[in-house]
Amino acid sequence: MESEHESALSGTTEDSLERLESDQESSSDIEPRLPRSVQAVYLRPLKRQAKYGVPACDLQLRSYSVRNVEFFADFALRAAYYLNLPAAGPIPLPRITERWTVPRSNFIHKKSQENFERITLRRLIQIQDGHPDTVEIWLAFLRKHAYYGVGMKANVWEYEKLGVGKTMDISLENLRKVLEPKWAHFGRKKNPDTAEKVMEMLNSDRFKNVDDATSSQVHRQPGSGVTPAPPTAAKIIFSGIQPTGVPHLGNYLGALRQWVQLQDTAAPDTKLLFSIVDLHALTIRQGRGQLQRWKRETLATLLAVGLDPKRSIIFFQSDIPAHTELMWILSCTASMGHLSRMTQWKSKLALEDDASPLDTSSKAKLKLGLFSYPVLQAADVLVHGATHVPVGDDQAQHLEFARECAGNFNSIYGKVLTEPATILCLAPAKRVMSLKEPHLKMSKSHQDPRSRISLSDTADEIHLKVKQALTDSISGVSYDPKSRPGVSNLLEILSHLDGAGRSPVELAQEHSPLSMRSFKEHVAQRIADGLAGFRERYTPLIDAGRLEDVAMQGAKEARYNAGPTMLKVRDSLGI
């Protein structure tokens, strides 16, 4: 028994030794496994080296998953290698927080999606020395094989051949040939110094109709012989003012005085319409009683400065429903892009010039009424068929928008609305500056009431405000808007009220020996004398019941004037 056990044990030992030797021989044939860090080098995609390093395309990959963005970056580099495109990257970019929309299930519909904000990872891949066509093929391939949860954004560069600048001289000559016929239209945007020159320009041959311009020609009618050309159509002048109470000196010198001069010098067949645009005032929240009081004060002001309701149509904008009706019709063809470039809503909200209504900071403040403000302005002008609109430089952009609204409507529905033939920029006013901050315009929105002179101020109030006006400690009087803005502002006010029409420089030379105190007293007295007649006419008007009669008569005439335009508009629309 013992001998048999020993023989069995020796056989088992020999078998295990043979098996161990065979395992060692087989393991010696297999190469040893490399470390993970070394294996990663061999797993990276191949890249071609750039010769010149000229960037051709920047591809930015975005994802909230590091696994997805790394995988697709690897895929993009391999695709660039097979297309012989030298590529650099992926370069990690700073993380950002973005809102992502992802499906909840494989069946995609609106209710199965969810939005959430997540930290977004970004990688940058740059193609260098690549042919534009090959780069487009590479991008199209990546778009076709877009990976789940990975966004792509590409910037592609295009280069011209050397020596392109030499062809600029040739293109400049071609540009001159195009612009030369347009030089004649530049005269329409002149800034006449006085209302008399405005009317002289309106009555010139340049602004007459084609029929009047060819009045020397004759028209033949069958059986009637020779007949003269038809007469020129009457001009219609429209302008408006917001009801902000009694206007200040800047409003009077910049607009109201020019309105009176236009009324006194216009041809008998010229129709004049002056509107108190109370609907525009609603863009700023204000009390009911305050708006009613300001409307009465503004109407009394227009009558006190010299506007005659028998010669001009004076009315409240809200009394004419055609204004808002046409505004909605024009809104259906107005351009959002053009409205977003307007400066009015940006200045009201104290935003940058390049602000967009889609910005987060803008959307929180911007209201639809303020944004569509220019559309209502266009309707104010177009509903009355205005041919000329006296505006300042700050409103010229809105009148151009009114012309575009009329052009858009006419291009769709035919010649229905009358485009204003010219832009009348009244004398350069007439930008009277603030008495407390001479670098700002005189405005009723300024917190300090001493910064402006109201037309209803008494002589004592005018003397006190001018006496407290900001000037400087330099002796004497001189005109230098940059170095002495306060003194220069007083000289400009004095020039606007000077009966002889002398310039600020001439008045500075005349008053140079005066002390600052004496000069301020002289300016205050001149302003008080210039506004004395207004105060005498304004007080009886605001207390009497005549304002209601004037408003009712003006509204009746304005509705009658807007009726034909709205009939044509409704007929062209089929409503």
Side-chain angles (χ1 to χ4, degrees), residues 103-135:
R104 294 177 180 173
S105 63
N106 293 331
F107 184 69
I108 305 299
H109 54 88
K110 188 173 183 181
K111 293 183 179 180
S112 69
Q113 295 178 355
E114 58 180 349
N115 297 326
F116 57 91
E117 289 186 353
R118 298 192 65 170
I119 296 177
T120 303
L121 308 173
R122 299 187 295 170
R123 298 292 185 268
L124 177 65
I125 298 177
Q126 186 178 75
I127 302 297
Q128 300 174 348
D129 300 347
H131 193 278
D133 295 341
T134 310
V135 172

Short mmCIF file of all heavy atoms in Angstrom, two decimals, residues 103-135:
data_model
loop_
_atom_site.label_atom_id
_atom_site.label_comp_id
_atom_site.label_asym_id
_atom_site.label_seq_id
_atom_site.Cartn_x
_atom_site.Cartn_y
_atom_site.Cartn_z
N PRO A 103 -33.96 65.90 -24.68
CA PRO A 103 -35.19 65.09 -24.68
C PRO A 103 -35.26 64.17 -23.46
O PRO A 103 -34.24 63.70 -22.96
CB PRO A 103 -35.09 64.30 -25.98
CG PRO A 103 -33.62 64.19 -26.23
CD PRO A 103 -33.01 65.45 -25.69
N ARG A 104 -36.46 63.93 -23.02
CA ARG A 104 -36.68 62.99 -21.92
C ARG A 104 -36.81 61.54 -22.42
O ARG A 104 -36.68 60.61 -21.64
CB ARG A 104 -37.94 63.37 -21.16
CG ARG A 104 -37.83 64.71 -20.45
CD ARG A 104 -39.13 65.05 -19.77
NE ARG A 104 -39.06 66.31 -19.07
CZ ARG A 104 -40.10 66.91 -18.49
NH1 ARG A 104 -41.30 66.36 -18.56
NH2 ARG A 104 -39.96 68.06 -17.87
N SER A 105 -37.14 61.40 -23.68
CA SER A 105 -37.32 60.05 -24.22
C SER A 105 -36.91 60.06 -25.68
O SER A 105 -36.56 61.09 -26.24
CB SER A 105 -38.78 59.61 -24.08
OG SER A 105 -39.62 60.45 -24.85
N ASN A 106 -36.98 58.90 -26.30
CA ASN A 106 -36.61 58.79 -27.71
C ASN A 106 -37.66 59.43 -28.62
O ASN A 106 -37.35 59.83 -29.74
CB ASN A 106 -36.43 57.33 -28.10
CG ASN A 106 -35.23 56.72 -27.40
OD1 ASN A 106 -34.27 57.43 -27.09
ND2 ASN A 106 -35.29 55.42 -27.15
N PHE A 107 -38.90 59.51 -28.16
CA PHE A 107 -39.95 60.13 -28.96
C PHE A 107 -39.93 61.64 -28.70
O PHE A 107 -40.30 62.10 -27.62
CB PHE A 107 -41.31 59.54 -28.59
CG PHE A 107 -42.44 60.08 -29.44
CD1 PHE A 107 -42.53 59.74 -30.79
CD2 PHE A 107 -43.37 60.93 -28.91
CE1 PHE A 107 -43.55 60.24 -31.57
CE2 PHE A 107 -44.40 61.43 -29.68
CZ PHE A 107 -44.50 61.08 -31.03
N ILE A 108 -39.45 62.39 -29.67
CA ILE A 108 -39.19 63.82 -29.46
C ILE A 108 -40.45 64.62 -29.75
O ILE A 108 -40.99 64.56 -30.86
CB ILE A 108 -38.04 64.32 -30.36
CG1 ILE A 108 -36.80 63.46 -30.13
CG2 ILE A 108 -37.75 65.77 -30.07
CD1 ILE A 108 -36.28 63.51 -28.72
N HIS A 109 -40.92 65.34 -28.81
CA HIS A 109 -41.94 66.35 -29.02
C HIS A 109 -41.74 67.41 -27.93
O HIS A 109 -40.94 67.23 -27.00
CB HIS A 109 -43.36 65.78 -28.99
CG HIS A 109 -43.67 65.01 -27.74
ND1 HIS A 109 -44.16 65.60 -26.60
CD2 HIS A 109 -43.55 63.69 -27.47
CE1 HIS A 109 -44.35 64.68 -25.67
NE2 HIS A 109 -43.98 63.51 -26.17
N LYS A 110 -42.46 68.51 -28.05
CA LYS A 110 -42.19 69.66 -27.19
C LYS A 110 -42.34 69.32 -25.71
O LYS A 110 -41.57 69.77 -24.87
CB LYS A 110 -43.11 70.81 -27.58
CG LYS A 110 -42.77 72.11 -26.87
CD LYS A 110 -43.59 73.26 -27.41
CE LYS A 110 -43.18 74.56 -26.74
NZ LYS A 110 -43.97 75.71 -27.23
N LYS A 111 -43.36 68.54 -25.37
CA LYS A 111 -43.62 68.27 -23.96
C LYS A 111 -42.64 67.27 -23.37
O LYS A 111 -42.60 67.09 -22.15
CB LYS A 111 -45.05 67.74 -23.79
CG LYS A 111 -46.11 68.77 -24.12
CD LYS A 111 -47.50 68.22 -23.86
CE LYS A 111 -48.56 69.28 -24.16
NZ LYS A 111 -49.94 68.76 -23.91
N SER A 112 -41.87 66.61 -24.21
CA SER A 112 -40.92 65.62 -23.70
C SER A 112 -39.52 66.20 -23.58
O SER A 112 -38.56 65.46 -23.45
CB SER A 112 -40.89 64.40 -24.61
OG SER A 112 -40.29 64.75 -25.85
N GLN A 113 -39.40 67.54 -23.67
CA GLN A 113 -38.11 68.19 -23.54
C GLN A 113 -38.05 68.95 -22.23
O GLN A 113 -39.07 69.39 -21.71
CB GLN A 113 -37.85 69.13 -24.71
CG GLN A 113 -37.74 68.43 -26.05
CD GLN A 113 -37.53 69.41 -27.18
OE1 GLN A 113 -37.57 70.61 -26.98
NE2 GLN A 113 -37.30 68.90 -28.36
N GLU A 114 -36.86 69.13 -21.72
CA GLU A 114 -36.67 69.89 -20.49
C GLU A 114 -35.48 70.82 -20.66
O GLU A 114 -34.51 70.49 -21.34
CB GLU A 114 -36.46 68.96 -19.30
CG GLU A 114 -35.28 68.01 -19.45
CD GLU A 114 -35.13 67.12 -18.24
OE1 GLU A 114 -35.81 67.38 -17.24
OE2 GLU A 114 -34.34 66.17 -18.29
N ASN A 115 -35.56 71.98 -20.03
CA ASN A 115 -34.49 72.97 -20.07
C ASN A 115 -33.83 73.05 -18.70
O ASN A 115 -34.52 73.08 -17.68
CB ASN A 115 -35.03 74.34 -20.45
CG ASN A 115 -35.62 74.35 -21.84
OD1 ASN A 115 -35.14 73.64 -22.71
ND2 ASN A 115 -36.67 75.12 -22.05
N PHE A 116 -32.53 73.11 -18.71
CA PHE A 116 -31.83 73.28 -17.44
C PHE A 116 -30.46 73.89 -17.74
O PHE A 116 -29.92 73.77 -18.83
CB PHE A 116 -31.69 71.96 -16.69
CG PHE A 116 -30.98 70.88 -17.49
CD1 PHE A 116 -29.61 70.72 -17.41
CD2 PHE A 116 -31.70 70.03 -18.32
CE1 PHE A 116 -28.97 69.75 -18.12
CE2 PHE A 116 -31.05 69.05 -19.05
CZ PHE A 116 -29.68 68.90 -18.95
N GLU A 117 -29.90 74.56 -16.74
CA GLU A 117 -28.59 75.17 -16.87
C GLU A 117 -27.53 74.22 -16.33
O GLU A 117 -27.69 73.67 -15.22
CB GLU A 117 -28.54 76.51 -16.12
CG GLU A 117 -29.36 77.60 -16.78
CD GLU A 117 -29.18 78.93 -16.09
OE1 GLU A 117 -28.52 78.95 -15.03
OE2 GLU A 117 -29.69 79.95 -16.60
N ARG A 118 -26.47 74.06 -17.09
CA ARG A 118 -25.39 73.18 -16.67
C ARG A 118 -24.06 73.81 -17.03
O ARG A 118 -23.96 74.62 -17.95
CB ARG A 118 -25.51 71.80 -17.33
CG ARG A 118 -26.79 71.06 -16.97
CD ARG A 118 -26.74 69.62 -17.39
NE ARG A 118 -25.71 68.86 -16.67
CZ ARG A 118 -25.60 67.54 -16.73
NH1 ARG A 118 -26.45 66.84 -17.47
NH2 ARG A 118 -24.66 66.91 -16.07
N ILE A 119 -23.03 73.40 -16.31
CA ILE A 119 -21.68 73.86 -16.63
C ILE A 119 -21.27 73.23 -17.96
O ILE A 119 -21.33 72.00 -18.14
CB ILE A 119 -20.70 73.47 -15.52
CG1 ILE A 119 -21.07 74.20 -14.22
CG2 ILE A 119 -19.27 73.80 -15.93
CD1 ILE A 119 -20.19 73.83 -13.04
N THR A 120 -20.86 74.07 -18.89
CA THR A 120 -20.54 73.62 -20.25
C THR A 120 -19.04 73.56 -20.45
O THR A 120 -18.33 74.54 -20.16
CB THR A 120 -21.18 74.57 -21.27
OG1 THR A 120 -22.59 74.62 -21.04
CG2 THR A 120 -20.93 74.09 -22.68
N LEU A 121 -18.57 72.44 -20.93
CA LEU A 121 -17.16 72.26 -21.26
C LEU A 121 -16.93 72.61 -22.73
O LEU A 121 -17.77 72.32 -23.58
CB LEU A 121 -16.73 70.81 -20.99
CG LEU A 121 -17.06 70.27 -19.59
CD1 LEU A 121 -16.74 68.79 -19.53
CD2 LEU A 121 -16.28 71.02 -18.53
N ARG A 122 -15.77 73.21 -23.01
CA ARG A 122 -15.49 73.65 -24.38
C ARG A 122 -14.10 73.18 -24.80
O ARG A 122 -13.15 73.22 -24.00
CB ARG A 122 -15.59 75.17 -24.50
CG ARG A 122 -16.97 75.73 -24.17
CD ARG A 122 -17.06 77.21 -24.47
NE ARG A 122 -16.17 77.98 -23.60
CZ ARG A 122 -15.89 79.27 -23.78
NH1 ARG A 122 -16.41 79.92 -24.81
NH2 ARG A 122 -15.09 79.91 -22.94
N ARG A 123 -13.98 72.82 -26.06
CA ARG A 123 -12.69 72.44 -26.65
C ARG A 123 -12.54 73.16 -28.00
O ARG A 123 -13.51 73.27 -28.76
CB ARG A 123 -12.61 70.93 -26.87
CG ARG A 123 -12.70 70.11 -25.58
CD ARG A 123 -11.49 70.31 -24.70
NE ARG A 123 -11.53 69.44 -23.54
CZ ARG A 123 -12.05 69.79 -22.36
NH1 ARG A 123 -12.61 71.00 -22.22
NH2 ARG A 123 -12.03 68.96 -21.34
N LEU A 124 -11.33 73.61 -28.28
CA LEU A 124 -11.05 74.35 -29.51
C LEU A 124 -10.11 73.54 -30.39
O LEU A 124 -9.06 73.08 -29.94
CB LEU A 124 -10.42 75.71 -29.19
CG LEU A 124 -10.01 76.56 -30.41
CD1 LEU A 124 -11.24 76.97 -31.20
CD2 LEU A 124 -9.23 77.79 -29.97
N ILE A 125 -10.50 73.37 -31.66
CA ILE A 125 -9.67 72.72 -32.67
C ILE A 125 -9.46 73.72 -33.80
O ILE A 125 -10.43 74.27 -34.34
CB ILE A 125 -10.34 71.44 -33.20
CG1 ILE A 125 -10.52 70.44 -32.07
CG2 ILE A 125 -9.53 70.85 -34.34
CD1 ILE A 125 -11.25 69.18 -32.49
N GLN A 126 -8.21 73.96 -34.15
CA GLN A 126 -7.89 74.93 -35.21
C GLN A 126 -7.27 74.21 -36.40
O GLN A 126 -6.32 73.44 -36.26
CB GLN A 126 -6.93 76.01 -34.70
CG GLN A 126 -6.69 77.10 -35.73
CD GLN A 126 -5.77 78.20 -35.21
OE1 GLN A 126 -4.57 77.99 -35.11
NE2 GLN A 126 -6.34 79.36 -34.90
N ILE A 127 -7.82 74.49 -37.58
CA ILE A 127 -7.27 73.99 -38.84
C ILE A 127 -6.37 75.07 -39.42
O ILE A 127 -6.77 76.24 -39.55
CB ILE A 127 -8.39 73.64 -39.83
CG1 ILE A 127 -9.34 72.59 -39.23
CG2 ILE A 127 -7.82 73.14 -41.14
CD1 ILE A 127 -8.69 71.27 -38.93
N GLN A 128 -5.15 74.68 -39.79
CA GLN A 128 -4.18 75.62 -40.33
C GLN A 128 -3.76 75.17 -41.73
O GLN A 128 -3.66 73.97 -42.00
CB GLN A 128 -2.96 75.72 -39.41
CG GLN A 128 -3.29 76.20 -38.01
CD GLN A 128 -2.09 76.15 -37.09
OE1 GLN A 128 -1.05 75.56 -37.41
NE2 GLN A 128 -2.22 76.77 -35.92
N ASP A 129 -3.50 76.18 -42.57
CA ASP A 129 -3.03 75.93 -43.94
C ASP A 129 -4.00 75.05 -44.72
O ASP A 129 -3.60 74.29 -45.61
CB ASP A 129 -1.65 75.25 -43.95
CG ASP A 129 -0.59 76.10 -43.27
OD1 ASP A 129 -0.89 77.29 -43.02
OD2 ASP A 129 0.49 75.58 -42.98
N GLY A 130 -5.28 75.14 -44.41
CA GLY A 130 -6.26 74.30 -45.09
C GLY A 130 -6.93 75.02 -46.25
O GLY A 130 -7.19 76.22 -46.19
N HIS A 131 -7.22 74.28 -47.30
CA HIS A 131 -7.94 74.85 -48.42
C HIS A 131 -9.40 75.08 -48.01
O HIS A 131 -10.01 74.22 -47.34
CB HIS A 131 -7.87 73.90 -49.62
CG HIS A 131 -8.32 74.54 -50.90
ND1 HIS A 131 -9.65 74.65 -51.25
CD2 HIS A 131 -7.61 75.12 -51.91
CE1 HIS A 131 -9.75 75.25 -52.42
NE2 HIS A 131 -8.52 75.55 -52.85
N PRO A 132 -10.00 76.23 -48.38
CA PRO A 132 -11.38 76.50 -47.94
C PRO A 132 -12.37 75.42 -48.33
O PRO A 132 -13.26 75.08 -47.54
CB PRO A 132 -11.71 77.84 -48.63
CG PRO A 132 -10.38 78.48 -48.86
CD PRO A 132 -9.42 77.36 -49.11
N ASP A 133 -12.23 74.86 -49.52
CA ASP A 133 -13.16 73.81 -49.95
C ASP A 133 -13.01 72.56 -49.08
O ASP A 133 -14.00 71.92 -48.71
CB ASP A 133 -12.95 73.47 -51.41
CG ASP A 133 -13.27 74.63 -52.32
OD1 ASP A 133 -13.99 75.54 -51.87
OD2 ASP A 133 -12.80 74.64 -53.48
N THR A 134 -11.77 72.20 -48.76
CA THR A 134 -11.54 71.02 -47.92
C THR A 134 -12.07 71.25 -46.51
O THR A 134 -12.62 70.33 -45.88
CB THR A 134 -10.04 70.70 -47.87
OG1 THR A 134 -9.51 70.65 -49.20
CG2 THR A 134 -9.80 69.37 -47.19
N VAL A 135 -11.91 72.47 -46.01
CA VAL A 135 -12.45 72.79 -44.69
C VAL A 135 -13.97 72.66 -44.68
O VAL A 135 -14.55 72.15 -43.72
CB VAL A 135 -12.00 74.21 -44.27
CG1 VAL A 135 -12.70 74.64 -42.99
CG2 VAL A 135 -10.49 74.26 -44.10
#
